[in-house]
Structure formats: structure tokens, C-alpha cells
Amino acid sequence: MANIDNKIEEIRKSLNIEIANCSDSREFENIKIKYLGKKGFITDLMAQIKNFSLEEKKEFGPKLNEFKKQTEESINLAKEILIKKEINAKIIKKQNFDVSLYQPNHLIGHKHPYSQFIEEIENIFISMGFDLFDGPEVESDFFNFTALNIPENHPARDMYDTFWLNKKNMLLRTHTSPIQIRAMQNKSLPIAGIAIGRTFRHEAVDASHDFAFMQCEGMVIDKNITLSHLFAIAKKFLQTLFDKKDLDIRIRPGFFPFVEPGVEIDMRCPFCKSGCSVCKQSTWVEVFPGGLIHPNVLKYGGIDSEKYSGFAFGFGLTRLAMLKYGINDIRHFYSGKLKFLEQF
Ligand code: DAH
């Protein structure tokens, strides 16, 4: 019957090895079945008892029972220890979980190209000592026309296809020039400022026109301000905007009722030397009008035109942005199309 003892030892050894090698607590169920299940090694061994003599039964019965109990206990104990280990490992994994490592694959937004462009323009003028002015989009006839030397029935009113409002004498401003008058009335002299804002005209929308568009108005008023101040500022502004130190400008006469004399400023085409599609083969690009503020306008603004003079200029932002970025359709700016926006 030493045979049984050997068998027990053999089973114990193989059980110990299996327990030691077990790395997943769920595996213990299988081990249990393998040793203690209906057809398990130990169950098998115990089934042999019925063939033993009484003596043998007395000796091996308790031995096998004890062995069965020990096996059960050691499997349970090992399982408990492993479960604890697994829980600890999970806790440590959680503690070491670095949320900042999680990088979802999403697009990072940025400022709209138009906002970037507006900031760029503002910064150039701020760097030259200008302030930023503002004014309302809903204006009165007085600020939009009369005070700018465009009285009622003046033919210059025809230049502007105006959105008139139901309220008498009220309109959507057709240009940013009314801010000149508001600045003269509200700021103390000397004045140097620009105002960027939306303006409105009753126009059909196409690749280069929109009924709402952005303009930039600029003005400087002080003693002894002359046209050369305007030319110098315009030149410096365009050189900085197009990042060309030697960008030249030229002046042609122009007419706007609120300036006298009035001028049209052109710049050398920043994109070519001998003619291209942007400058229509002329090497010059029309950029903006301006002039010396008309004495009548200064008067409406409450400024003594005998003592003070000033220059003003105004331009459409969209055209300049289209020029700078080589965009051929004004509507891209409002389309919200990512393909367009992502390029900036
Ligand atoms: N306000 C004019 C327009 O929208 C542009 C303009 C021309 C503004 C000459 C000025 C200026 O300040 O001096 O058509």
C-alpha cells in the first residue's frame, strides 16, 4: 500500500507545481475540477478505498480525507492570495493612469482668417501710434452723409446704395467714415485712430461684392497735418502688411466730398516685377482713397479748421485680404468651409 502514499505524494507535487504556475485566479476553478472534481485525481484515488481491506481502510481513509482537505485549503489559499495580488495590480495601474497621455484625434481650432487679418491691420496702426475707434452699424443720415459734406440731394448720395430703415433718417452705415465725425466730437485733439467695422450696401452678391463688408477708416487730426503725412503712413502700412520694405506707392487725384484734395493711392504690385493677373499687367494695384479732411467736415466735428487740419483714408478690408492671401472669391470668407479655413 506504499503505492497509495506514493500516489498521494505524486499528486501533491503536481498540484504544487500547478498552483505555483497559476497566474490568473480564474484558473483555480479548473485546478479544483482537475483534482477534486467528479473525475478528479483525488476523487479517483478515494474511489479505490472500497477495494481496500478493513485495516487499509482504517489507515488510508483518514489519510486521504486529510489530503483532500489540505488540497482544498491550499487551492483556496493560493486563489485568495492571487486575487489580492490582482486587485493591488489594478489599483496601481489606476494610480499610474496618466490622463494627459490621452490624446484624442481632433482638430484644433484657430482664429478665422478674417479675424487674423483685422488684428494684423490693427497692430500695424497701433505700432504707428494710432488708437482704435468704434461706431454704430445703425447710423443716422446726419453722421453717414450730411456731416461728411454730403447734404440731402447731393449727387454723391447716389454712390451709396443705402439700406434705409423704417425709422426716419436712420440707415445701415454705408461706410465707416461716420466714425470720423464721432471721433472728432468725442475725442480730444490731437486725434490718430482707425476704425474697423461692418458696412452695408444694397448690392447684388458676386465674387467680389457682398451686401455686408468690412471697411477700415483712418484719420489723423492735428496742427499742420499735410498730404505727405498721409502718403508716409499709407506707404509704411502697405510695406508692413505685404512685408516688403521697398514697396512703393503712387498718388492719383480722386474725389470724395469729405476730402479736399482727394487722392487715390496705388501700390506697386507686391507679387510681380513686370505685370501679372493681380495688377492686370500694369504693375500697379489700386489700394485706397483718402485725402485732407474737408473744412466742412471738421466744422461738423466741432473742430476749428483754421487751426487744425487732418487726413483721412478708407478701404475695404476684404479686397486687401484677398490681395494679400491671393483669394479670388469674397464669399470664401463667410462660407465656413474647413478646406478654406484650414489654410490659415
Ligand atoms: N468712405 C469711402 C467709401 O466707402 C472711402 C473713403 C474715401 C474714406 C476717402 C475716406 C476718404 O476716409 O478720405 O467709399
Side-chain angles (χ1 to χ4, degrees), residues 252-310:
R252 291 175 290 119
F255 174 77
F256 280 92
F258 31 93
V259 279
E260 183 60 39
V263 297
E264 289 287 346
I265 299 171
D266 300 341
M267 66 174 171
R268 266 283 183 219
C269 181
F271 308 109
C272 74
K273 283 217 149 54
S274 53
C276 67
S277 62
V278 173
C279 60
K280 299 193 187 86
Q281 313 305 328
S282 74
T283 75
W284 290 103
V285 182
E286 191 180 325
V287 277
F288 52 79
L292 284 184
I293 300 174
H294 196 288
N296 287 351
V297 176
L298 289 174
K299 213 174 288 163
Y300 275 115
I303 289 172
D304 184 349
S305 61
E306 294 293 323
K307 286 193 186 139
Y308 288 92
S309 58

Side-chain angles (χ1 to χ4, degrees), residues 122-142:
E122 286 177 344
N123 285 336
I124 296 173
F125 280 105
I126 287 170
S127 77
M128 293 194 283
F130 282 66
D131 289 328
L132 301 180
F133 297 157
D134 203 2
E137 291 178 354
V138 172
E139 264 296 7
S140 66
D141 178 316
F142 174 78

